[in-house]
Amino acid sequence: MTSTTSSFPDHMELTGEGLVLRDWTEADLTAMPALFDDPDVAYWTPIVSPFDEAAGRARLERDRRMRAEGTVVLLAITVDGGEPLGEVMLRRAPEGTELGYAVGPAHRGRGLAARAVRVMAAYAFEQLGVDRVILELEAENAASVAVAVKAGFSLLDVPLIEGEEKGRPYTLQTWGLDRP
């Protein structure tokens, strides 16, 4: 099931794997640039660059609009519900339920992305009733491929996705995790 007609809850907080995934708030706007204004985030993700507090405000407004539409939810990755360390995304689209993530440079190497992806995947399986979640990754992005493997995803035998973002071409592989 990948219905895009029902919205997500107005408030979300998911816990598991030593993490609290929570809604972004206005109080997080000052922390967002340290997480997202990074060359790796700029290169590998569609997140705007440079990323400043105004970009954070626009992202927060866009997140709230897309959540109300029932298409996307963005949650801050935290260990205790406090300081955001990164972000995990769930997007419902015709091609499937896609997850994505970004972890701030000061917080990488702690397994945050893989744990956040597993928590969000569990939400998709248990609360949304989906049978598979996917990640769309560039093969050259070794860190993201490592997250996919660590989170239990397998490379799917489906056509590559080609496109252009921020003036550079990309080719994405699709990785999948099926409902347990």
Side-chain angles (χ1 to χ4, degrees):
M1 294 181 346
T2 58
S3 169
T4 58
T5 57
S6 62
S7 65
F8 293 106
D10 290 338
H11 173 76
M12 288 182 67
E13 183 174 285
L14 308 177
T15 59
E17 303 227 13
L19 299 177
V20 177
L21 308 179
R22 64 161 176 81
D23 295 323
W24 287 103
T25 68
E26 281 77 9
D28 297 320
L29 290 172
T30 57
M32 288 177 149
L35 301 174
F36 302 131
D37 192 36
D38 171 70
D40 286 333
V41 172
Y43 188 82
W44 296 114
T45 76
I47 294 174
V48 300
S49 180
F51 194 99
D52 56 14
E53 197 169 324
R57 185 166 303 287
R59 187 165 181 79
L60 190 60
E61 290 170 9
R62 182 174 171 255
D63 167 46
R64 290 176 178 160
R65 185 179 67 254
M66 291 185 304
R67 182 185 293 199
E69 293 167 356
T71 55
V72 175
V73 63
L74 301 172
L75 298 177
I77 300 170
T78 77
V79 293
D80 59 4
E83 175 191 6
L85 311 174
E87 172 177 271
V88 63
M89 173 211 68
L90 183 145
R91 181 175 74 94
R92 295 191 284 198
E95 62 271 14
T97 301
E98 179 187 2
L99 305 181
Y101 46 85
V103 173
H107 310 292
R108 294 180 187 146
R110 298 168 47 189
L112 295 169
R115 291 186 285 154
V117 163
R118 286 192 297 260
V119 171
M120 190 66 99
Y123 170 80
F125 296 140
E126 296 163 12
Q127 299 300 314
L128 304 179
V130 303
D131 293 323
R132 172 181 281 169
V133 291
I134 60 172
L135 299 170
E136 295 175 341
L137 311 172
E138 291 184 63
E140 297 81 14
N141 187 343
S144 278
V145 170
V147 167
V149 171
K150 189 172 182 180
F153 284 69
S154 300
L155 185 59
L156 301 178
D157 186 18
V158 298
L160 297 173
I161 301 163
E162 296 183 349
E164 185 174 313
E165 181 80 37
K166 299 179 188 173
R168 78 169 186 90
Y170 63 79
T171 302
L172 302 175
Q173 299 174 322
T174 303
W175 292 72
L177 179 67
D178 292 332
R179 175 196 295 271

